[in-house]
Amino acid sequence: RVPLVLRDQRLSSLLASLTTICLSGALHISHGALSQIFESCDKSLANVERLSLAHMGARVVDDRILELIGKHCPSLLHVDLTAAHLVTNHGLKKMCTKKLDVKRLLSLKLNGCCKVTGEGLYYVCPPPPPPSPSGNSSAAADANVSQLQVIELDDVVGLQDQDAVTLASDAPNLRALSLARCTELSKAAVCVLPSNAPALTTLCLRECNVVDDECLQYIASACSGRLVDLDLERCQNVTDMGLSMICKSCPQLERLNISHTPLTGISAAQIALHMQSLTHLDIGNCLSMESDAIARMVSHCRNIEVLSVKGTAAGDEVLDAVVKYNRVLRDLDLSFCVNFSL
C-alpha cells in the first residue's frame, strides 16, 4: 500500500516540509517500495537533512537506493546506513556524485557495511583541493573542505590502515570516529590516527585487539585536553599503565567504557584521582577490580549519571559510596554482582 499512498498529492506536500525521515527498523518496507518513495516524491525531498535507513533488512538498502538518495536529497547533512550490507563503493560513488553536496555532509554511519573499503570513503570525504596560486579567501577555502564531523565504521572489515589515516587527514572537522571491530587496522595506524584528527573528541576502538598501552600513549598525547568520550571495551591488551596516561592527559573525559578489560584497582585509583568530570562509566566485567577500589572511585567521581559495575567484585561498600557521595546517578547496573548482602 505504501507506493499507492505516495501518489497522493497531499503526502507530497507534507514531504516538502520535512527535514527528517527515519525508516530505521522498518522491515516491512520492500526494496521496490523504498525506491518508489524516492522516485515518486522527487523534489518533495529537497529539504530533507536527516535520513536514517538503518536495519531495514538484508536486501533493502543497496547501491540503487544510494543513487536515488544522491539524486533526490541534495540537502542531506546526516545519513545513517547502519547494517546496509549490500552497499558497495560503487553505491557511495553514485550517492556522492549526483546532486548531493557531499562536502556539506556532517555525519555518516556505515556500521556493518562490510563491502565498503577506502575507495568508497574517498567519495564520502574527498581530499581538499590544492591551494590556488592566486590565493582563495578563507570562506572559499572552507567551502572546498569536507565538513564531516561524525563517521561510524564499525565492522567495516575491509578498512585498511591508509584508508583510516587518509580519512582523518581529509576531514579536518572530524569530532567523532568509531572503528569497532575493524580487524584489518594495525597498531601503527591506531597510533597515527589521533594526530591526524585535530578536532577529535570521541573515539571508539571497541574490540580492536591491536590497541595496547602504546596506542593509549599516542591517544593521550594527541587528544590531551579535548577527548570527552573513549570506548575501549574488550581491548584485551591495555593495562593500568596505559589507562593511567589517558587519565592524566584527558581529565575532561565525560564518557569512558573499559568493560571486559584486564584493568585492576590501580586504574580505578587513577580514575578517582583525575576524572571527576565523568558522567558515564562502564567497568562491567573488569574481573581484576576490587570492590574497595571501585567504592573509592565512586566516592571521588561524584558527577557520574550512568554507572555499570556488571559482573565485577562490587559489594556493599560500592552502594554505600553511591548513596553517600552521588546525587545525580540515574542508571546503575549491578547485574551478576554476587557480593552484595541482602
Side-chain angles (χ1 to χ4, degrees):
R1 292 194 299 272
V2 172
L4 294 176
V5 171
L6 286 172
R7 295 192 186 104
D8 192 315
Q9 201 68 27
R10 291 170 298 176
L11 185 58
S12 293
S13 299
L14 172 64
L15 289 173
S17 65
L18 290 181
T19 59
T20 299
I21 294 179
C22 179
L23 297 174
S24 297
L27 298 176
H28 60 287
I29 296 181
S30 68
H31 177 275
L34 185 59
S35 298
Q36 193 162 354
I37 288 176
F38 292 105
E39 291 172 338
S40 300
C41 296
D42 195 12
K43 295 181 181 180
S44 299
L45 301 176
N47 295 319
V48 174
E49 296 180 348
R50 292 178 178 269
L51 176 65
S52 178
L53 303 179
H55 302 287
M56 290 192 67
R59 308 196 66 81
V60 177
V61 182
D62 61 5
D63 290 349
R64 172 58 180 161
I65 297 297
L66 264 61
E67 182 177 2
L68 293 173
I69 291 172
K71 182 178 180 181
H72 299 294
C73 302
S75 301
L76 278 178
L77 300 177
H78 307 273
V79 181
D80 188 350
L81 300 173
T82 296
H85 304 301
L86 296 181
V87 166
T88 70
N89 296 332
H90 180 71
L92 290 176
K93 178 181 179 180
K94 289 290 187 180
M95 182 180 77
C96 297
T97 54
K98 294 291 182 179
K99 296 180 181 179
L100 174 64
D101 184 358
V102 70
K103 289 182 179 177
R104 293 182 65 244
L105 202 62
L106 296 179
S107 70
L108 178 64
K109 298 180 180 181
L110 294 173
N111 303 317
C113 296
C114 51
K115 296 183 179 182
V116 171
T117 67
E119 179 187 344
L121 297 180
Y122 173 86
Y123 299 107
V124 169
C125 185
S132 169
S134 59
N136 286 335
S137 66
S138 177
D142 289 345
N144 287 321
V145 173
S146 171
Q147 299 302 306
L148 194 65
Q149 296 178 7
V150 177
I151 186 161
E152 296 184 7
L153 301 169
D154 299 353
D155 299 296
V156 179
V157 293
L159 191 69
Q160 302 291 323
D161 287 359
Q162 191 57 46
D163 304 332
V165 174
T166 300
L167 173 66
S169 301
D170 291 343
N173 299 297
L174 190 66
R175 288 173 170 77
L177 177 62
S178 187
L179 299 170
R181 296 175 295 278
C182 289
T183 54
E184 293 300 310
L185 289 183
S186 71
K187 171 182 169 180
V190 174
C191 289
V192 170
L193 266 173
S195 60
N196 281 28
L200 194 67
T201 60
T202 298
L203 180 60
C204 175
L205 297 171
R206 182 181 301 180
E207 295 185 63
C208 291
N209 292 328
V210 298
V211 176
D212 62 6
D213 288 351
E214 185 178 357
C215 295
L216 296 188
Q217 180 181 4
Y218 277 91
I219 293 170
S221 175
C223 300
S224 177
R226 57 182 167 84
L227 195 67
V228 296
D229 190 337
L230 180 62
D231 189 338
L232 300 172
E233 180 180 337
R234 296 183 188 273
C235 291
Q236 295 297 322
N237 293 316
V238 300
T239 73
D240 296 321
M241 182 179 297
L243 192 73
S244 175
M245 290 184 278
I246 293 290
C247 292
K248 292 174 182 176
S249 296
C250 305
Q252 73 292 332
L253 205 68
E254 297 176 3
R255 294 171 178 258
L256 178 63
N257 185 353
I258 51 174
S259 60
H260 296 273
T261 62
L263 298 176
T264 72
I266 296 173
S267 288
Q270 289 297 309
I271 292 172
L273 183 61
H274 298 287
M275 292 190 165
Q276 280 78 43
S277 296
L278 280 177
T279 60
H280 294 66
L281 177 62
D282 190 342
I283 59 169
N285 291 286
C286 287
L287 302 180
S288 300
M289 206 170 279
E290 307 87 354
S291 183
D292 58 343
I294 298 173
R296 284 193 297 272
M297 176 178 66
V298 170
S299 68
H300 284 80
C301 300
R302 302 181 183 184
N303 294 310
I304 294 178
E305 300 174 15
V306 178
L307 174 64
S308 174
V309 295
K310 176 181 178 179
T312 65
D316 292 344
E317 56 266 64
V318 174
L319 279 183
D320 292 341
V322 168
V323 171
K324 185 175 182 180
Y325 296 107
N326 193 298
R327 295 292 180 270
V328 297
L329 190 69
R330 54 184 172 81
D331 192 329
L332 177 61
D333 189 347
L334 303 175
S335 305
F336 304 106
C337 293
V338 298
N339 292 330
F340 292 104
S341 60
L342 295 177

Coordinates of all heavy atoms in Angstrom, one line a residue, residues 145-216:
V145 N 36.3 22.2 1.6 CA 36.8 21.3 2.6 C 35.7 20.5 3.2 O 34.6 21.0 3.5 CB 37.6 21.9 3.8 CG1 38.0 20.9 4.8 CG2 38.9 22.6 3.2
S146 N 35.8 19.2 3.4 CA 34.8 18.3 3.9 C 34.4 18.9 5.3 O 35.3 19.1 6.2 CB 35.2 16.9 4.0 OG 34.3 16.1 4.8
Q147 N 33.1 19.0 5.6 CA 32.6 19.4 6.9 C 32.2 18.2 7.8 O 31.7 18.4 8.8 CB 31.3 20.2 6.7 CG 31.6 21.5 5.9 CD 32.6 22.4 6.5 OE1 32.5 22.7 7.7 NE2 33.7 22.7 5.7
L148 N 32.6 17.0 7.3 CA 32.3 15.8 8.1 C 32.8 15.8 9.5 O 33.9 16.1 9.8 CB 32.9 14.6 7.4 CG 32.3 13.2 7.8 CD1 30.9 13.0 7.4 CD2 33.2 12.1 7.1
Q149 N 31.8 15.6 10.5 CA 32.2 15.7 11.9 C 32.1 14.3 12.6 O 32.8 14.1 13.5 CB 31.2 16.7 12.6 CG 31.4 18.1 12.1 CD 30.4 19.0 12.8 OE1 29.7 18.6 13.8 NE2 30.4 20.3 12.4
V150 N 31.2 13.5 12.1 CA 31.0 12.2 12.7 C 31.0 11.1 11.6 O 30.2 11.2 10.6 CB 29.6 12.1 13.4 CG1 29.4 10.7 14.0 CG2 29.6 13.2 14.5
I151 N 31.8 10.0 11.8 CA 31.7 8.9 10.9 C 31.9 7.6 11.7 O 32.8 7.5 12.6 CB 32.7 8.9 9.8 CG1 32.5 7.8 8.8 CG2 34.2 8.9 10.3 CD1 33.1 8.0 7.4
E152 N 30.9 6.7 11.5 CA 31.0 5.4 12.2 C 31.2 4.3 11.2 O 30.4 4.2 10.2 CB 29.6 5.2 13.0 CG 29.4 6.2 14.1 CD 28.2 5.9 14.9 OE1 27.5 4.9 14.7 OE2 27.8 6.8 15.7
L153 N 32.2 3.5 11.5 CA 32.7 2.5 10.5 C 32.8 1.1 11.2 O 33.6 0.3 10.9 CB 34.0 2.8 9.9 CG 34.0 4.2 9.1 CD1 35.4 4.6 8.8 CD2 33.2 4.0 7.9
D154 N 32.0 0.9 12.3 CA 32.0 -0.4 13.0 C 31.8 -1.6 12.0 O 30.9 -1.5 11.2 CB 30.9 -0.4 14.1 CG 31.1 0.7 15.1 OD1 32.1 1.4 15.1 OD2 30.2 0.8 15.9
D155 N 32.6 -2.6 12.2 CA 32.5 -3.8 11.4 C 32.8 -3.6 9.9 O 32.4 -4.5 9.1 CB 31.1 -4.5 11.6 CG 30.9 -4.9 13.0 OD1 31.6 -5.7 13.5 OD2 30.0 -4.3 13.6
V156 N 33.4 -2.5 9.5 CA 33.8 -2.3 8.1 C 35.1 -3.0 8.0 O 36.2 -2.4 8.1 CB 33.9 -0.8 7.7 CG1 34.3 -0.7 6.3 CG2 32.5 -0.2 7.9
V157 N 35.1 -4.3 7.8 CA 36.3 -5.1 7.9 C 37.3 -4.9 6.8 O 38.4 -5.3 6.9 CB 35.9 -6.6 8.0 CG1 35.1 -6.9 9.3 CG2 35.0 -7.1 6.8
G158 N 36.9 -4.3 5.7 CA 37.8 -4.0 4.6 C 38.6 -2.7 4.8 O 39.4 -2.4 3.9
L159 N 38.4 -2.0 5.9 CA 39.1 -0.8 6.1 C 40.6 -1.1 6.4 O 40.9 -1.8 7.3 CB 38.5 -0.1 7.3 CG 38.9 1.4 7.5 CD1 38.4 2.3 6.4 CD2 38.5 1.9 8.9
Q160 N 41.5 -0.5 5.6 CA 42.9 -0.7 5.7 C 43.5 0.5 6.4 O 42.9 1.6 6.6 CB 43.5 -0.9 4.3 CG 43.0 -2.0 3.5 CD 43.3 -3.4 4.1 OE1 44.4 -3.6 4.6 NE2 42.4 -4.3 4.0
D161 N 44.8 0.4 6.8 CA 45.5 1.4 7.5 C 45.5 2.8 6.8 O 45.1 3.8 7.4 CB 47.0 1.0 7.8 CG 47.1 -0.1 8.8 OD1 46.1 -0.5 9.4 OD2 48.2 -0.5 9.0
Q162 N 45.8 2.8 5.6 CA 45.9 4.0 4.8 C 44.6 4.7 4.7 O 44.4 5.9 4.7 CB 46.6 3.8 3.5 CG 47.0 5.1 2.7 CD 47.9 5.9 3.5 OE1 48.9 5.5 4.1 NE2 47.6 7.2 3.6
D163 N 43.5 3.8 4.5 CA 42.2 4.4 4.4 C 41.8 5.2 5.6 O 41.3 6.3 5.5 CB 41.2 3.2 4.3 CG 41.5 2.3 3.1 OD1 42.1 2.8 2.1 OD2 41.1 1.1 3.2
A164 N 42.0 4.6 6.8 CA 41.7 5.3 8.1 C 42.5 6.6 8.3 O 41.9 7.6 8.7 CB 41.8 4.4 9.2
V165 N 43.8 6.5 8.0 CA 44.7 7.7 8.2 C 44.3 8.8 7.2 O 44.2 10.0 7.6 CB 46.1 7.2 8.1 CG1 47.0 8.5 8.1 CG2 46.5 6.2 9.2
T166 N 44.0 8.4 6.0 CA 43.7 9.4 5.0 C 42.3 10.1 5.3 O 42.2 11.3 5.2 CB 43.6 8.7 3.6 OG1 44.9 8.2 3.3 CG2 43.2 9.8 2.5
L167 N 41.4 9.3 5.8 CA 40.1 9.8 6.2 C 40.2 10.9 7.2 O 39.7 12.0 7.1 CB 39.2 8.7 6.7 CG 37.8 9.1 7.3 CD1 37.0 9.7 6.2 CD2 37.1 7.9 7.9
A168 N 41.0 10.6 8.2 CA 41.3 11.5 9.3 C 41.9 12.8 8.8 O 41.6 13.9 9.2 CB 42.1 10.9 10.4
S169 N 42.8 12.7 7.9 CA 43.5 13.8 7.3 C 42.6 14.7 6.4 O 42.7 15.9 6.4 CB 44.7 13.4 6.5 OG 45.6 12.7 7.3
D170 N 41.7 14.0 5.7 CA 40.9 14.8 4.7 C 39.6 15.3 5.4 O 38.9 16.1 4.7 CB 40.4 13.8 3.6 CG 41.6 13.4 2.7 OD1 42.6 14.1 2.8 OD2 41.5 12.4 2.0
A171 N 39.4 15.0 6.7 CA 38.2 15.6 7.4 C 38.7 16.4 8.6 O 38.7 15.9 9.7 CB 37.3 14.4 7.8
P172 N 39.2 17.6 8.4 CA 39.8 18.4 9.5 C 38.8 18.7 10.6 O 39.2 19.1 11.7 CB 40.3 19.6 8.8 CG 39.5 19.7 7.5 CD 39.2 18.3 7.1
N173 N 37.5 18.6 10.3 CA 36.4 18.9 11.3 C 36.0 17.6 12.1 O 35.0 17.7 12.8 CB 35.3 19.6 10.7 CG 35.6 20.9 10.0 OD1 36.1 21.8 10.7 ND2 35.5 21.0 8.7
L174 N 36.6 16.5 11.8 CA 36.1 15.2 12.4 C 36.2 15.3 13.9 O 37.3 15.5 14.5 CB 37.0 14.1 11.9 CG 36.5 12.7 12.2 CD1 35.2 12.4 11.5 CD2 37.5 11.6 11.8
R175 N 35.0 15.0 14.5 CA 35.0 15.1 16.0 C 34.7 13.7 16.6 O 35.1 13.4 17.7 CB 33.9 16.0 16.4 CG 34.2 17.5 16.2 CD 33.0 18.4 16.5 NE 33.4 19.8 16.6 CZ 33.6 20.5 15.5 NH1 33.5 20.0 14.3 NH2 34.0 21.8 15.6
A176 N 34.0 12.8 15.9 CA 33.7 11.5 16.4 C 34.0 10.4 15.4 O 33.6 10.5 14.2 CB 32.2 11.5 16.8
L177 N 34.8 9.4 15.8 CA 35.2 8.4 14.9 C 35.0 7.0 15.6 O 35.5 6.8 16.8 CB 36.7 8.5 14.5 CG 37.3 7.4 13.7 CD1 36.6 7.3 12.3 CD2 38.8 7.7 13.5
S178 N 34.3 6.1 15.0 CA 34.0 4.8 15.6 C 34.6 3.7 14.6 O 34.2 3.6 13.5 CB 32.5 4.6 15.8 OG 32.3 3.4 16.5
L179 N 35.5 2.9 15.2 CA 36.2 1.9 14.4 C 36.1 0.5 15.1 O 37.0 -0.3 14.9 CB 37.7 2.2 14.2 CG 37.9 3.5 13.5 CD1 39.4 3.9 13.6 CD2 37.6 3.4 12.0
A180 N 35.0 0.2 15.8 CA 34.8 -1.0 16.5 C 34.9 -2.2 15.5 O 34.3 -2.2 14.4 CB 33.4 -1.1 17.2
R181 N 35.7 -3.2 15.9 CA 35.9 -4.4 15.2 C 36.4 -4.3 13.8 O 36.1 -5.1 12.9 CB 34.6 -5.3 15.2 CG 34.2 -5.7 16.6 CD 32.9 -6.4 16.6 NE 31.8 -5.5 16.2 CZ 31.2 -4.6 17.0 NH1 31.6 -4.5 18.3 NH2 30.3 -3.8 16.6
C182 N 37.2 -3.2 13.5 CA 37.8 -3.0 12.2 C 39.1 -3.9 12.3 O 40.2 -3.3 12.6 CB 38.1 -1.6 11.9 SG 36.6 -0.6 11.5
T183 N 39.0 -5.1 11.9 CA 40.0 -6.1 12.2 C 41.3 -5.9 11.3 O 42.3 -6.5 11.7 CB 39.5 -7.5 12.0 OG1 38.9 -7.6 10.7 CG2 38.4 -7.8 13.0
E184 N 41.2 -5.2 10.2 CA 42.4 -5.0 9.4 C 43.3 -3.9 9.8 O 44.4 -3.8 9.3 CB 42.0 -4.8 7.9 CG 41.3 -6.0 7.3 CD 42.2 -7.3 7.3 OE1 43.3 -7.1 6.8 OE2 41.7 -8.3 7.7
L185 N 42.9 -3.1 10.7 CA 43.7 -2.0 11.2 C 44.9 -2.5 12.0 O 44.7 -3.3 12.9 CB 42.9 -1.0 12.0 CG 41.9 -0.1 11.3 CD1 41.2 0.8 12.2 CD2 42.5 0.6 10.1
S186 N 46.0 -1.9 11.8 CA 47.2 -2.3 12.6 C 47.4 -1.3 13.8 O 46.8 -0.2 13.8 CB 48.5 -2.2 11.7 OG 48.8 -0.9 11.4
K187 N 48.3 -1.7 14.6 CA 48.6 -0.9 15.8 C 49.2 0.4 15.3 O 48.9 1.5 15.9 CB 49.6 -1.6 16.7 CG 50.2 -0.8 17.8 CD 51.2 -1.7 18.5 CE 52.1 -0.9 19.5 NZ 53.0 -1.7 20.2
A188 N 50.0 0.4 14.3 CA 50.7 1.6 13.8 C 49.6 2.6 13.3 O 49.7 3.8 13.6 CB 51.6 1.3 12.6
A189 N 48.6 2.2 12.7 CA 47.5 3.1 12.2 C 46.8 3.7 13.3 O 46.5 4.9 13.3 CB 46.5 2.3 11.3
V190 N 46.5 2.9 14.4 CA 45.7 3.4 15.5 C 46.6 4.5 16.2 O 46.0 5.5 16.7 CB 45.4 2.3 16.5 CG1 44.8 2.8 17.8 CG2 44.4 1.3 15.8
C191 N 47.9 4.3 16.3 CA 48.8 5.3 16.9 C 48.8 6.6 16.1 O 48.9 7.7 16.7 CB 50.2 4.7 17.0 SG 50.4 3.4 18.2
V192 N 48.7 6.5 14.8 CA 48.9 7.7 14.0 C 47.5 8.5 13.9 O 47.5 9.7 13.8 CB 49.3 7.3 12.6 CG1 49.3 8.5 11.6 CG2 50.8 6.8 12.6
L193 N 46.4 7.8 13.9 CA 45.1 8.4 13.7 C 44.8 9.7 14.5 O 44.5 10.7 13.9 CB 44.0 7.4 14.0 CG 43.5 6.6 12.8 CD1 42.5 5.5 13.2 CD2 42.8 7.5 11.8
P194 N 45.0 9.6 15.8 CA 44.7 10.8 16.6 C 45.4 12.1 16.2 O 44.8 13.2 16.2 CB 45.0 10.4 18.1 CG 45.0 8.9 18.0 CD 45.5 8.5 16.7
S195 N 46.6 12.0 15.9 CA 47.4 13.2 15.5 C 47.0 13.7 14.1 O 47.2 14.9 13.8 CB 48.9 12.9 15.5 OG 49.2 11.8 14.5
N196 N 46.3 12.9 13.3 CA 45.8 13.4 12.0 C 44.4 14.0 12.1 O 43.8 14.4 11.1 CB 45.7 12.2 11.0 CG 47.1 11.9 10.4 OD1 48.1 12.2 11.1 ND2 47.1 11.4 9.2
A197 N 43.8 13.9 13.3 CA 42.4 14.4 13.5 C 42.4 15.4 14.7 O 42.1 15.1 15.8 CB 41.5 13.2 13.9
P198 N 42.8 16.7 14.4 CA 43.0 17.7 15.4 C 41.7 18.1 16.2 O 41.8 18.7 17.2 CB 43.6 18.9 14.6 CG 43.1 18.7 13.2 CD 43.1 17.2 13.0
A199 N 40.5 17.8 15.6 CA 39.3 18.1 16.3 C 38.6 17.0 17.0 O 37.6 17.1 17.6 CB 38.3 18.7 15.3
L200 N 39.3 15.8 17.0 CA 38.7 14.6 17.6 C 38.4 14.7 19.1 O 39.3 15.0 19.9 CB 39.6 13.4 17.3 CG 39.0 12.0 17.5 CD1 37.9 11.7 16.4 CD2 40.1 10.9 17.4
T201 N 37.1 14.4 19.4 CA 36.7 14.4 20.9 C 36.1 13.1 21.3 O 36.0 12.8 22.5 CB 35.7 15.5 21.2 OG1 34.5 15.3 20.4 CG2 36.3 16.9 20.9
T202 N 35.7 12.2 20.3 CA 35.0 11.0 20.6 C 35.7 9.9 19.8 O 35.8 10.0 18.6 CB 33.5 11.0 20.3 OG1 32.9 12.0 21.1 CG2 32.9 9.7 20.5
L203 N 36.1 8.8 20.4 CA 36.9 7.7 19.8 C 36.4 6.4 20.3 O 36.4 6.1 21.5 CB 38.4 7.9 20.0 CG 39.3 6.8 19.3 CD1 39.1 6.8 17.8 CD2 40.7 7.1 19.6
C204 N 35.9 5.5 19.4 CA 35.5 4.2 19.8 C 36.5 3.2 19.1 O 36.5 3.1 17.9 CB 34.1 3.9 19.3 SG 33.6 2.2 19.6
L205 N 37.1 2.4 19.9 CA 38.0 1.3 19.4 C 37.6 0.0 20.0 O 38.5 -0.9 20.2 CB 39.5 1.7 19.9 CG 40.1 2.9 19.3 CD1 41.4 3.3 19.9 CD2 40.2 2.8 17.7
R206 N 36.4 -0.2 20.2 CA 35.8 -1.4 20.9 C 36.2 -2.7 20.1 O 36.1 -2.7 18.9 CB 34.3 -1.3 20.9 CG 33.6 -2.5 21.6 CD 32.1 -2.3 21.5 NE 31.7 -1.0 22.2 CZ 30.4 -0.6 22.3 NH1 29.5 -1.3 21.7 NH2 30.2 0.5 22.9
E207 N 36.8 -3.6 20.8 CA 37.2 -4.9 20.3 C 38.2 -4.8 19.2 O 38.3 -5.6 18.3 CB 35.9 -5.7 19.8 CG 35.0 -6.0 20.9 CD 33.8 -6.9 20.4 OE1 34.1 -8.0 20.0 OE2 32.7 -6.4 20.5
C208 N 39.1 -3.8 19.3 CA 40.2 -3.7 18.4 C 41.4 -4.3 19.2 O 42.0 -3.6 20.1 CB 40.5 -2.2 18.0 SG 39.3 -1.5 16.9
N209 N 41.7 -5.5 18.9 CA 42.7 -6.2 19.7 C 44.2 -5.7 19.5 O 45.0 -6.0 20.4 CB 42.7 -7.7 19.3 CG 41.4 -8.4 19.7 OD1 40.8 -8.0 20.7 ND2 41.0 -9.4 18.9
V210 N 44.4 -4.8 18.5 CA 45.7 -4.3 18.4 C 46.0 -3.1 19.4 O 47.1 -2.7 19.6 CB 46.0 -3.8 17.0 CG1 45.9 -4.9 16.0 CG2 45.0 -2.7 16.6
V211 N 44.9 -2.6 20.0 CA 45.1 -1.5 20.9 C 45.8 -1.9 22.2 O 45.4 -2.9 22.9 CB 43.7 -0.9 21.2 CG1 43.9 0.2 22.3 CG2 43.0 -0.4 20.0
D212 N 46.9 -1.3 22.5 CA 47.7 -1.6 23.7 C 48.1 -0.3 24.3 O 47.6 0.8 24.0 CB 48.9 -2.5 23.4 CG 49.9 -1.8 22.4 OD1 49.7 -0.6 22.1 OD2 50.8 -2.5 22.0
D213 N 49.0 -0.3 25.3 CA 49.4 0.8 26.0 C 50.1 1.9 25.1 O 50.0 3.1 25.4 CB 50.4 0.4 27.2 CG 49.7 -0.3 28.3 OD1 48.4 -0.3 28.3 OD2 50.3 -0.8 29.2
E214 N 50.8 1.4 24.1 CA 51.5 2.4 23.2 C 50.4 3.2 22.5 O 50.6 4.4 22.3 CB 52.4 1.6 22.3 CG 53.2 2.6 21.4 CD 54.2 1.9 20.4 OE1 54.3 0.6 20.5 OE2 54.8 2.6 19.7
C215 N 49.4 2.5 22.0 CA 48.3 3.2 21.4 C 47.7 4.3 22.3 O 47.4 5.4 21.9 CB 47.2 2.3 20.9 SG 47.7 1.1 19.7
L216 N 47.5 3.9 23.6 CA 46.9 4.8 24.5 C 47.8 6.0 24.8 O 47.3 7.1 25.0 CB 46.5 4.1 25.8 CG 45.5 3.0 25.7 CD1 45.1 2.5 27.1 CD2 44.2 3.5 25.0

